[in-house]
Each structure stands twice: as structure tokens, then as C-alpha cells.
Amino acid sequence: MSERVLITGAAGLVGGILMRGLRDELDVTGVDVAAGDAPGVHRLDVRDTVALEPLLRRCDAVVHLAERPGAELSWEEVHANNLLATWSVLQAAARAGVSRVVYASSNYVVAGHELADPWASVLEGRYAGLDPGTLPRIDATVAPRPDSAYAVGKVFGEAACRHAADVYGLSALCLRIGTVKGEDRPSKARHYAKLLTHRDLVGLVGACLRAPSELRFATFYGTSANTWRIYDIDAARAAIGYAPSDDAESMRPALASA
């Protein structure tokens, strides 16, 4: 069990949810280049490996979120920010003797596959003729098919984690996170497939931090137990005991009476 955890990008939406959700169970510290007034979050640019390493020497694990988000990012922005941040975190973690890295990847890594049916229909809310019980789901054996420079950067991040596990002996778990909303509920048709609620996000990351040290590398999808999910979460259930509580379908507005 990783008890002392550093969260990078802790001032963002996902970082804030994890800081609040994990601090009752774990000793959690946050860093962010734009820390602001977020409690427990210190200002630090994680691309500064020298400054990051002393903080990690006091930690058992790092949850790495500190990448600039957005499908509209240019390759130059992805390279200068996201790639350098992830490489720096992995290098600092290895030097500091951190035992586990949880890397926040993205469902965008496989977004190109979603252009094909039945997944395209599900994401558009066209369910006619489809059975959620027999719906094929995208799992970690599917080849990456990134849809943007941002997604290409996430593919790099996963590969860098694999490298760190093999070369430095880190335990590196990658999470292809679905849709996390500030309001914690769907607002578009596609969210009924991709939603990861705040509670299940905390549960998923907590399960990664509790996972056996023998688990050296794995890639998991991060959604709630949504009826119309298009990603496989059974691998995370089996390997790390992920037990999602929520289903976006329960949040679907009831049809008005005729």
C-alpha cells in the first residue's frame, strides 16, 4: 500500500477531486505550476527534475496528472509541456526510489476506433438494435489510434511508463481516463458511455495505489460501471479490485409523461 503520495497537477479538476478524496486515507501532497490557493498544493513546475526529486524522496507513489489538456493543442505545446513533464516525473521518481507511478492517460489514445460502429452509434445516443449486454468493448489490447497531438502525447506517456517499468523497476500503471465532469453528471449523449464519477475516480486511483507491488505495468480504462460503456473495465476489476459504484444511466433525465 502506498501511503505517502504526491499528486502532480493537483490544482486541476481531477487533481482537486483526488486531493479531497484520498487525504482521509493517505498522506497526500500536491504540486502544480499554477497552485493558486488550493489547500495542500505547492507551486512547482514538474519539468524541473532537480526541484521535484527531493519531494519524491519522501513519497511512496506519485499520481501524475500535470499535463496541459486539450485536443486543440499544437504538437509544439504537447512536446514542450506534456512530454517533458512526464519524462521528468519518471526520471525523478526512479532516482528518488518511488515504488509506483500512476499515470493519467486518456481515452483519446484510442479515439480513432470510436469512429466505427457500434461505438459511434453509442456515443451519439443511437441505441436502436444494440444490446448493452453484448456490446463489444475496447480493451487494452486494442492498438492506439490517437485523434490529436494531445492523444499522441498520451501514447508517448504510456510508452515512457513501460520503459520506466522495464529499465528502472518502477511499478507504472496507466489509466485511460474517460469523462470527468465538474458537475459530476452527463451533459452529452457520449457521456453516458464515458462518464467517470468523482467517487469512482477516487476509487480507481486508490485501487492503483493499493495494488500489489508485483504488478509492474498495466493499462486500465477509467469509467464508471455505465450501462452503455464502450471501454473494458473488467481488467481493472480483476487486477486491482476496482469496484465502481456509479452508472451514468441512472442520471439520465426521465422522459416527460405524454
Side-chain angles (χ1 to χ4, degrees):
M1 174 65 179
S2 301
E3 296 184 351
R4 298 170 300 171
V5 180
L6 181 73
I7 298 177
T8 74
L13 172 62
V14 172
I17 294 167
L18 292 176
M19 288 288 292
R20 294 187 295 273
L22 295 173
R23 64 188 175 196
D24 288 342
E25 180 183 1
L26 303 171
D27 179 1
V28 181
T29 302
V31 295
D32 199 296
V33 71
D37 298 325
V41 180
H42 307 284
R43 188 180 301 278
L44 180 72
D45 187 336
V46 298
R47 292 173 297 180
D48 186 343
T49 311
V50 173
L52 180 61
E53 186 176 338
L55 287 176
L56 286 175
R57 289 193 182 279
R58 301 196 293 268
C59 295
D60 305 305
V62 55
V63 179
H64 177 44
L65 310 171
E67 292 186 357
R68 187 172 294 180
E72 73 287 350
L73 291 177
S74 68
W75 174 248
E76 289 74 20
E77 291 173 302
V78 171
H79 180 270
N81 294 283
N82 300 2
L83 271 61
L84 296 183
T86 296
W87 189 257
S88 174
V89 168
L90 291 171
Q91 294 295 308
R95 294 173 191 170
V98 168
S99 58
R100 170 153 292 152
V101 174
V102 180
Y103 173 61
S105 186
S106 171
N107 67 96
Y108 290 171
V109 163
V110 293
H113 293 289
E114 299 168 7
L115 301 175
D117 276 327
W119 305 307
S121 292
V122 170
L123 293 177
E124 293 172 8
R126 296 185 284 107
Y127 305 128
L130 298 176
D131 177 2
T134 59
L135 187 71
R137 296 191 169 110
I138 299 170
D139 64 20
T141 67
V142 172
R145 194 172 171 182
D147 67 345
S148 58
Y150 171 72
V152 171
K154 290 297 188 183
V155 176
F156 166 86
E158 293 183 6
C161 285
R162 170 85 270 187
H163 170 78
D166 289 343
V167 175
Y168 305 130
L170 289 171
S171 172
L173 306 182
C174 302
L175 300 179
R176 291 178 178 173
I177 295 173
T179 299
V180 179
K181 301 285 290 178
E183 60 271 29
D184 206 19
R185 60 181 305 105
S187 61
K188 297 180 181 178
R190 65 193 301 105
H191 297 164
Y192 290 96
K194 294 191 172 191
L195 186 72
L196 177 61
T197 64
H198 298 186
R199 173 167 55 178
D200 288 339
L201 168 64
V202 172
L204 176 59
V205 173
C208 287
L209 295 171
R210 291 189 297 271
S213 59
E214 293 78 18
L215 184 60
R216 306 309 301 169
F217 178 83
T219 300
F220 301 119
Y221 286 87
T223 72
S224 292
N226 304 322
T227 297
W228 287 102
R229 66 187 181 275
I230 64 171
Y231 304 126
D232 169 73
I233 59 172
D234 290 338
R237 293 183 198 267
I240 59 175
Y242 174 47
S245 301
D246 299 315
D247 182 347
E249 194 65 19
S250 69
M251 307 176 199
R252 194 184 293 272
L255 293 176
S257 300

